[in-house]
């Protein structure tokens, strides 16, 4: 039995994770993969029960699993707590404990949802890209950092630092992803200004020698950000640093138009993958059965593909989602202003995907 830990979290996290769990279990069993599920607390739910956003016991539970499927954490109820025990700390800790250095954010557009983007349909149709963001190094973690006093002046400082080892391992993840896709990799950088980016260019070129089938190009992050809205279809896989990836992956997401549709995967050296929707806990709609569960469901598809090597089962989930959308079913967030459609609720959306899986 392959063990999967579910960490539903807060707000709409439990609602969308319940649907993703049902679909993951069914898709896996249809493809002959027996799964064993355990559930744990994270975020506000864990603070309420244990006074901490993530217990050591849950960390151990996740370490012993093949993969973790997470909902979302946070909400106004815990906003006044000190930063050290806020719900988000649970998320940061589990990523750190599992050594998750690669964040994979696909951004593609289901044909039925082309109109949801703020870009013209002819620009959006056929977008299918994957941003591979380095997650544990760079500007967000580099030392020295902090705000110091220098006489009357205050000086704020962060350091962008990467070793060749860190660059190499994230580059390999990106090249391997490109090999499974259209075999194009774009490295986004700022090598005209930053020394650390020059090292990235060198190391990415070195790794490229092991992937001769992949077409590699290096793109300045600023012009890359412009191309992302001008001609997003040109991109297949993008690899970049923690900070550039933070920004460019959100830009890629918004080009597709729907926050409720975006899955993500975080992978590391330890072998345990963490899968979660990109959206947050949406406290404004929590508990009403109106959240869109498709981002969580598509995260379950990524889990099958990346942690269980079950590409066919993953594709069956994506096909089922596509069919449900083609049939005209929409959760509230996917209905455009002025569109006359009935709202499909969270559980009902899960039921529809489940029906099409069989
Ligand atoms: P959010 O993503 O939770 O919500 C933004 C907007 O999108 C809201 O109007 C919400 O109703 C809507 N939305 C989000 N997901 C949806 C879905 N699946 N279906 C339908 N509508 C959806 O972001 P926010 O409002 O900035 O943050 C709310 C809380 O979530 C905060 O506590 C924040 O810290 C937390 N958060 C957590 C994560 C995470 O767990 N990874 C990520 C982002 C924000």
């Amino acid at each position: 039995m392959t063990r999967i830990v579910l960490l539903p979290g807060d707000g709409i996290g439990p609602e969308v994770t319940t649907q993703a769990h049902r679909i993951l279990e069914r898709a896996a069993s249809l493809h002959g993969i027996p799964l064993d599920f355990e559930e744990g607390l994270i975020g506000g739910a864990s603070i309420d029960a244990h006074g901490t956003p993530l217990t050591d016991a849950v960390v151990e539970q996740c370490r012993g699993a093949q993969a973790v499927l997470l909902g979302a954490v946070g909400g106004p109820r815990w906003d006044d707590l000190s930063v050290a025990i806020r719900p988000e700390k649970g998320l940061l800790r589990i990523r750190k404990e599992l050594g998750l250095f690669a964040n994979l954010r696909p951004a593609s557009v289901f044909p039925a949802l082309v109109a949801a983007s703020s870009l013209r349909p002819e620009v959006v149709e056929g977008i299918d890209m994957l941003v591979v963001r380095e997650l544990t190094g760079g500007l967000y973690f580099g030392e020295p950092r902090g705000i110091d006093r220098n006489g009357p002046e205050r000086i704020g400082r962060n350091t962008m630092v990467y070793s060749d080892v860190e660059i190499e391992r994230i580059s390999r993840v990106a090249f391997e992803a490109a090999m499974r896709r259209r075999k194009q990799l774009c490295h986004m950088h700022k090598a005209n200004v930053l020394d650390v980016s020059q090292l990235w260019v060198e190391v990415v070129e070195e790794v490229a020698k092991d992937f001769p089938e992949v077409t590699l190009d290096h793109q300045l992050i600023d012009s890359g950000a412009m191309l992302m809205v001008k001609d997003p279809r040109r991109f297949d896989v993008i690899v970049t640093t923690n900070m550039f990836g933070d920004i460019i992956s959100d830009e890629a997401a918004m080009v597709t138009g729907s926050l409720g549709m975006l899955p993500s995967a975080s992978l590391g050296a330890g072998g345990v993958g963490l899968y979660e929707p990109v959206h947050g806990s949406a406290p404004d709609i929590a508990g009403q059965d109106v959240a869109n569960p498709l981002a969580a469901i598509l995260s379950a598809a990524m889990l099958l593909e990346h942690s269980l090597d079950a590409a066919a089962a993953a594709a069956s989930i994506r096909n089922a989602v596509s069919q449900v959308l083609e049939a005209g079913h929409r959760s509230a967030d996917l209905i455009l202003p002025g569109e006359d459609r009935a709202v499909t609720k969270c559980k009902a959306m899960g039921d529809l995907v489940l029906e099409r899986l069989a």
Side-chain angles (χ1 to χ4, degrees):
M1 281 283 215
T2 304
R3 191 167 346 141
I4 308 292
V5 172
L6 302 169
L7 300 179
D10 310 317
I12 62 168
E15 299 165 49
V16 298
T17 308
T18 299
Q19 301 314 316
H21 174 192
R22 293 167 75 203
I23 281 134
L24 174 57
E25 193 163 34
R26 174 76 64 85
S29 116
L30 287 170
H31 286 80
I33 308 163
L35 298 180
D36 178 24
F37 290 92
E38 282 179 17
E39 204 167 308
L41 296 177
I42 192 168
S46 176
I47 294 173
D48 289 350
H50 304 293
T52 170
L54 188 71
T55 60
D56 293 346
V58 173
V59 171
E60 283 316 309
Q61 213 181 354
C62 293
R63 281 213 183 101
Q66 187 77 16
V68 179
L69 185 63
L70 191 139
V73 299
R77 213 165 116 200
W78 303 281
D79 276 353
D80 293 336
L81 295 174
S82 80
V83 173
I85 58 155
R86 289 274 293 268
E88 297 78 5
K89 280 282 172 193
L91 202 51
L92 294 178
R93 181 171 172 212
I94 193 67
R95 287 177 182 154
K96 187 161 181 273
E97 297 275 1
L98 297 178
L100 305 173
F101 65 83
N103 184 229
L104 275 60
R105 292 255 305 252
S108 58
V109 179
F110 286 91
L113 297 182
V114 162
S117 171
S118 50
L119 301 182
R120 291 195 309 276
E122 65 269 27
V123 178
V124 174
E125 249 161 27
I127 290 178
D128 183 10
M129 57 189 153
L130 174 70
V131 179
V132 178
R133 166 188 171 194
E134 202 288 327
L135 205 57
T136 52
L139 195 62
Y140 294 176
F141 295 97
E143 298 282 348
R145 63 185 297 162
I147 302 172
D148 300 321
R149 273 210 171 270
N150 182 14
E153 254 183 344
R154 281 169 303 160
I155 298 176
R157 179 184 293 117
N158 288 91
T159 308
M160 189 189 257
V161 55
Y162 274 109
S163 71
D164 55 353
V165 173
E166 288 174 297
I167 304 168
E168 186 189 332
R169 65 183 185 177
I170 188 77
S171 302
R172 286 198 183 277
V173 170
F175 275 104
E176 280 158 13
M179 284 298 290
R180 291 194 295 271
R181 295 170 48 99
R182 300 195 303 281
K183 300 188 172 60
Q184 292 165 30
L185 178 62
C186 176
H187 163 228
M188 290 200 186
H189 65 92
K190 192 73 183 166
N192 55 344
V193 182
L194 300 175
D195 303 278
V196 65
S197 281
Q198 288 168 20
L199 182 63
W200 269 74
V201 171
E202 273 175 35
V203 176
V204 172
E205 284 289 343
E206 284 159 22
V207 177
K209 292 185 185 125
D210 292 340
F211 298 89
E213 288 176 57
V214 176
T215 307
L216 169 68
D217 76 309
H218 301 275
Q219 181 74 53
L220 284 169
I221 184 71
D222 42 356
S223 50
M226 288 197 277
L227 285 171
M228 179 76 70
V229 283
K230 186 171 174 237
D231 183 17
R233 274 178 302 199
R234 67 186 291 140
F235 294 111
D236 179 16
V237 180
I238 294 165
V239 65
T240 191
T241 61
N242 199 344
M243 182 190 60
F244 295 157
D246 190 4
I247 299 164
I248 206 79
S249 61
D250 269 12
E251 190 187 3
M254 272 307 102
V255 162
T256 71
S258 340
L259 190 57
M261 295 296 301
L262 298 164
S264 79
S266 300
L267 310 175
V272 187
L274 178 86
Y275 301 84
E276 56 183 318
V278 166
H279 61 71
S281 60
D284 51 333
I285 56 166
Q288 300 169 30
D289 192 32
V290 295
N292 179 356
L294 294 177
I297 290 170
L298 293 168
S299 300
M302 290 190 86
L303 185 158
L304 283 163
E305 186 176 348
H306 295 278
S307 281
L308 305 183
D309 205 17
S316 74
I317 294 181
R318 290 192 197 104
N319 284 338
V321 168
S322 188
Q323 283 174 36
V324 168
L325 295 170
E326 289 296 334
H329 303 289
R330 300 283 189 277
S331 49
D333 59 310
L334 298 179
I335 297 178
L336 301 175
E339 222 181 358
D340 184 23
R341 279 186 202 264
V343 173
T344 302
K345 296 202 156 196
C346 184
K347 179 176 178 303
M349 189 65 95
D351 291 342
L352 289 164
V353 176
L354 211 56
E355 274 168 27
R356 265 120 184 132
L357 264 185

